[in-house]
């Protein structure tokens, strides 16, 4: 299993990239990948996405320590583990919000998260807000009319009520080629002169084509080719994680 990732500031953004990504191991048997996209109109919109990434890292480290000490063989399903992670994430956000007296508008970020059980060979994707998912060739676009749901809206809610309301979940029983991306993947525009007379399907090229998959920087290579040969660049911040088995 190889994991590729890329993060790029949108051409229309001047100061900060509001996207962030995290890739880690949740215990010995689970891989976790997450993308966060801060709200452009919020306060210091890059802060929320960075913060969520740091909290996910903390959750993964604590899981590793806990497994080492307890040596508990009880296994949960991918969705059960995802609920544990999400509840811990929201609890940490609440604590930080209160300790630093942070305004809700400083915690607005979307979240697309994959949790994959390497033993059971099963996984789940959850999208809170908008974004893009391609699971083994099946594309799902989560679009919320430029009014995406954000984690920061739900900090005061009962967790079970909040989780039950999440409908943007996809479970899968095999992993061949999976991609997740923020909505920047839909914003590629011709901003530079094109050196090629051909046209390119950006989404297909980034999420299905396996050229240069032997290289760790496959996605960065593809983005450079899209820019240099076809003159296309994302106008919004763009982040993507792709897993190929």
């Amino acid at each position: 299993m190889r994991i590729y990732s890329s993060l790029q500031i949108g051409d229309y953004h001047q100061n900060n990239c509001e996207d962030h990504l995290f890739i880690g191991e949740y215990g010995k048997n689970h891989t976790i990948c997450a993308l966060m996209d801060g709200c452009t109109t919020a306060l210091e919109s890059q802060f929320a996405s960075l913060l969520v990434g740091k909290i996910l890292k903390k959750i993964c480290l604590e899981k590793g320590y806990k497994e080492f000490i307890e040596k508990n063989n009880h296994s949960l399903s991918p969705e059960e583990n995802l609920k544990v992670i999400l509840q811990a994430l929201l609890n940490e956000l609440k604590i930080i919000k209160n300790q630093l007296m942070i305004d809700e508008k400083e915690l607005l970020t979307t979240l697309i998260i994959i949790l994959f059980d390497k033993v059971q060979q099963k996984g789940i994707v959850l999208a809170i807000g908008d974004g893009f998912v391609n699971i083994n060739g099946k594309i799902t676009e989560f679009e919320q009319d430029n009014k995406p749901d954000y984690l920061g809206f739900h900090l005061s809610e009962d967790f079970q009520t909040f989780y039950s309301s999440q409908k943007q979940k996809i479970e899968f029983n095999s992993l061949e080629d999976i991609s997740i991306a923020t909505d920047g993947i839909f914003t590629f525009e011709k901003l530079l002169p094109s050196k090629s007379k051909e046209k390119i399907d950006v989404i297909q090229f980034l999420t299905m084509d396996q050229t240069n998959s032997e290289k760790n920087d496959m996605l960065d290579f593809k983005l450079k080719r899209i820019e240099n040969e076809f003159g296309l660049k994302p106008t919004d911040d763009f982040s993507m994680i792709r897993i190929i088995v």
Side-chain angles (χ1 to χ4, degrees), residues 194-210:
S194 176
K195 297 176 182 178
S196 175
K197 294 181 180 179
E198 299 178 0
K199 291 185 178 181
I200 186 169
D201 183 331
V202 171
I203 290 177
Q204 191 278 335
F205 185 59
L206 290 174
T207 70
M208 297 183 189
D209 181 271
Q210 295 195 5

Side-chain angles (χ1 to χ4, degrees), residues 32 66 84 97 117 120 123 137 175 186:
I32 183 172
K66 189 175 181 180
V84 171
K97 180 179 184 294
D117 188 318
Q120 298 182 43
L175 194 163
F186 305 120

Side-chain angles (χ1 to χ4, degrees), residues 134-147:
N134 185 341
I135 299 180
N136 303 325
K138 183 177 180 180
I139 291 175
T140 303
E141 298 178 10
F142 296 114
E143 206 281 321
Q144 299 181 337
D145 297 323
N146 260 344
K147 297 177 181 178

Side-chain angles (χ1 to χ4, degrees), residues 75-139:
S75 61
L76 301 175
S77 70
E79 181 166 15
E80 288 170 330
N81 273 307
L82 178 63
K83 286 182 69 175
V84 171
I85 293 168
L86 198 58
Q87 187 166 20
L89 171 61
L90 289 171
N91 285 339
E92 289 284 349
L93 282 173
K94 288 178 190 177
I95 292 170
I96 293 170
K97 180 179 184 294
N98 293 332
Q99 286 181 335
L100 300 182
M101 292 186 285
I102 295 173
D103 190 276
E104 181 186 274
K105 292 181 180 179
E106 296 175 270
L107 293 174
L108 301 186
T109 181
T110 64
L111 173 66
I112 308 174
I113 186 168
I114 296 176
L115 187 67
F116 180 67
D117 188 318
K118 293 178 284 187
V119 175
Q120 298 182 43
Q121 289 292 298
K122 294 181 179 180
I124 186 169
V125 178
L126 170 68
I128 300 173
D130 45 21
F132 170 95
V133 177
N134 185 341
I135 299 180
N136 303 325
K138 183 177 180 180
I139 291 175

Side-chain angles (χ1 to χ4, degrees), residues 174-189:
S174 66
L175 194 163
E176 299 168 13
D177 191 343
I178 291 180
S179 301
I180 56 174
T182 56
D183 60 356
I185 198 170
F186 305 120
T187 68
F188 280 78
E189 293 184 13

Side-chain angles (χ1 to χ4, degrees), residues 33 41 46 53 75 81 96 103 138 140 155 191 214-215:
C33 301
T41 58
Q46 75 280 6
S75 61
N81 273 307
I96 293 170
D103 190 276
K138 183 177 180 180
T140 303
L155 297 185
L191 301 176
E214 73 281 0
K215 298 179 179 179

